[in-house]
Amino acid sequence: MSPPVAPAGWSRWLVPPAALSVHLSIGQAYAWSVFKPPLESALGLSGTQSALPFQLGIVMLGLSAAFGGTLVERNGPRWAMTVALVCFSSGFLLSALGAATEQYWLIVLGYGFVGGIGLGIGYISPVSTLIKWFPDRPGMATGIAIMGFGGGALIASPWSAQMLESFGTDSSGIALAFVVHGLSYAVFMALGVLLVRVPRSARPVDSGPSALDGPQVSARGAMRTPQFWCLWIVLCTNVTAGIGILEKAAPMITDFFADTSAPVSATAAACFVALLSAANMAGRIGWSSASDLIGRKNIYRVYLGVGALTYGLIALFGDSSKPLFVLGALVILSFYGGGFATIPAYLKDLFGTYQVGAIHGRLLTAWSTAGVLGPLIVNWIADRQEEAGRSGPALYGMSFVIMIGLLVVGFAANELVRPVHPRHHVPAPQEAADDRRQQPESA
């Protein structure tokens, strides 16, 4: 399914809304913590078990992005968005069947496996196209689209909480909420499928450099460079630190202040999740746009260095002040979102735009790893501390120390990034021939 080529006079500013319609939908993944307490109550699950659909979804996001990246480059964004629509919506419907029949494995299969494939293909579907439309401002362009993934929970969190309040938090209420999600997102994502266009040539705008100017590296060649693996570590550590809070956000803030004179209600916890989504979303457009001005390496120094300091403040003083806890979490989540939105532009700077979508897809295996590590670290340690009779902030102290250590490792990896050696560059004639074979819709 090749997308229609943009007609003469087509505005490139219509492409980000097409990407947003997909990313705002699949960004619902960040609101999973709203479903955790009802699922634990209705199906008798532990915190670690209720995190499994989310973890598997993130794993499949990275794997499907890695293995599907070349297909996305070859078949174009409309094909990718259609695949994402079918998988993501089907995942919710399978999960609804699992909740209705109290078969938890169906929820894991639906939301985690099938829906996770939709997450991965949908996530990378607009990246290469956006960079070709906006070669002059790649950080801003990818930030606008990927902002939607971070902002998805801003809509989904209160919406999901309201549905559970209306339908009930038993298995049938959860099932009905899943059905409404699946059908609604199918309609919304279809708007992006219909709207997306590819540029008429490799030079989509009248001003600015050609999208294929400068050194170019193939996806296979990129994986042979130390720069790729340094960025893999950078992304993995930054994501692990953010996702550890995000996946358990609602129960975490409740636990932190459970023994105080002003405990956090379920409604307030859902609002906290929505606030984190807003910070995640704002960080994606704000920090990625800033990277166009100060450089990718410098912005990652902020994400990783300041992020480690902020984790330390929360660990030491978070339980004594709700504003400090909330503000610290918002800062960390803004860096988390900014890291995602900046990485495609970082890849473009190092490897060029040739096969950047496929390179981005392969790098997202770092997200798969982080999707397991972050929730596993936080949930497993919290479960063990709870078994030992501890409560409140003590459930998370060790987790926060581990996150600080990971961010320091990521900071060091970012310092090791250097320009790619010319031996990895693709010769221009070969690049052009391969580009015509692999991306005929962009010709």
Side-chain angles (χ1 to χ4, degrees):
M1 178 186 290
S2 295
V5 176
W10 179 267
S11 173
R12 62 177 179 168
W13 292 102
L14 292 174
V15 180
L20 274 172
S21 71
V22 173
H23 275 239
L24 280 170
S25 299
I26 63 177
Q28 183 280 334
Y30 285 140
W32 177 253
S33 63
V34 175
F35 285 102
K36 281 172 62 70
L39 282 171
E40 290 168 14
S41 176
L43 302 182
L45 306 174
S46 68
T48 302
Q49 289 173 321
S50 66
L52 183 57
F54 175 82
Q55 288 177 289
L56 181 58
I58 299 301
V59 169
M60 293 308 301
L61 185 158
L63 293 178
S64 61
F67 290 105
T70 302
L71 288 175
V72 172
E73 289 282 316
R74 182 180 300 126
N75 297 327
R78 173 164 288 183
W79 173 86
M81 289 179 178
T82 302
V83 171
L85 184 159
V86 172
C87 291
F88 190 63
S89 296
S90 298
F92 268 112
L93 298 181
L94 273 173
S95 298
L97 179 61
T101 59
E102 298 188 4
Q103 296 293 314
Y104 183 59
W105 68 271
L106 275 174
I107 299 177
V108 176
L109 174 66
Y111 191 92
F113 185 81
V114 178
I117 294 173
L119 289 177
I121 299 299
Y123 189 87
I124 64 172
S125 61
V127 169
S128 177
T129 303
L130 280 165
I131 288 178
K132 289 170 184 173
W133 276 111
F134 293 86
D136 49 333
R137 286 181 280 181
M140 181 211 67
T142 55
I144 290 174
I146 294 175
M147 172 184 71
F149 194 87
L154 187 62
I155 299 169
S157 181
W159 184 42
S160 300
Q162 183 59 51
M163 272 194 282
L164 290 171
E165 184 177 333
S166 300
F167 302 152
T169 56
D170 59 358
S171 58
S172 61
I174 296 170
L176 186 53
F178 282 154
V179 169
V180 173
H181 276 74
L183 297 179
S184 299
Y185 285 134
V187 173
F188 195 58
M189 293 171 77
L191 299 176
V193 173
L194 296 174
L195 185 61
V196 71
R197 299 287 189 277
V198 296
R200 296 176 65 83
S201 67
R203 189 183 180 89
V205 290
D206 294 331
S207 61
S210 167
L212 293 180
D213 280 350
Q216 308 294 326
V217 181
S218 69
R220 181 177 297 181
M223 293 188 69
R224 297 171 179 164
T225 66
Q227 289 84 351
F228 178 89
W229 295 106
C230 283
L231 289 188
W232 194 98
I233 293 171
V234 165
L235 184 63
C236 183
T237 54
N238 193 55
V239 172
T240 300
I243 213 168
I245 286 182
L246 192 57
E247 186 275 335
K248 203 175 173 67
M252 182 181 290
I253 192 171
T254 302
D255 291 336
F256 248 78
F257 299 99
D259 299 327
T260 67
S261 58
V264 177
S265 66
T267 302
C271 290
F272 174 62
V273 175
L275 277 176
L276 292 181
S277 178
N280 188 352
M281 179 173 63
R284 289 172 188 244
I285 182 61
W287 293 121
S288 62
S289 295
S291 76
D292 287 334
L293 301 175
I294 69 173
R296 320 303 172 194
K297 178 176 281 193
N298 285 333
I299 205 70
Y300 273 96
R301 286 168 174 155
V302 174
Y303 299 157
L304 300 160
V306 178
L309 293 175
T310 305
Y311 248 118
L313 286 174
I314 295 176
L316 292 173
F317 309 110
D319 60 327
S320 62
S321 170
K322 282 183 184 176
L324 175 62
F325 179 89
V326 172
L327 181 61
L330 293 177
V331 169
I332 290 172
L333 263 295
S334 78
F335 293 160
Y336 169 83
F340 275 123
T342 310
I343 205 69
Y346 210 161
L347 293 172
K348 181 258 183 188
D349 293 347
L350 290 171
F351 304 112
T353 55
Y354 176 61
Q355 296 192 345
V356 68
I359 298 171
H360 184 220
R362 296 180 189 193
L363 191 76
L364 289 181
T365 54
W367 193 357
S368 295
T369 304
V372 173
L373 283 179
L376 181 62
I377 290 169
V378 174
N379 284 286
W380 188 84
I381 292 177
D383 287 346
R384 300 291 80 77
Q385 296 290 348
E386 194 169 10
E387 289 172 3
R390 297 182 178 89
S391 62
L395 297 175
Y396 305 102
M398 182 58 68
S399 301
F400 288 179
V401 172
I402 293 173
M403 298 303 178
I404 292 170
L406 288 173
L407 287 170
V408 171
V409 170
F411 189 93
N414 183 53
E415 293 303 305
L416 295 175
V417 174
R418 299 289 187 273
V420 176
H421 193 280
R423 71 173 179 271
H424 298 291
H425 297 172
V426 177
Q430 177 183 338
E431 171 200 313
D434 288 349
D435 195 65
R436 285 193 297 271
R437 285 198 302 272
Q438 294 192 19
Q439 301 180 59
E441 78 279 5
S442 296

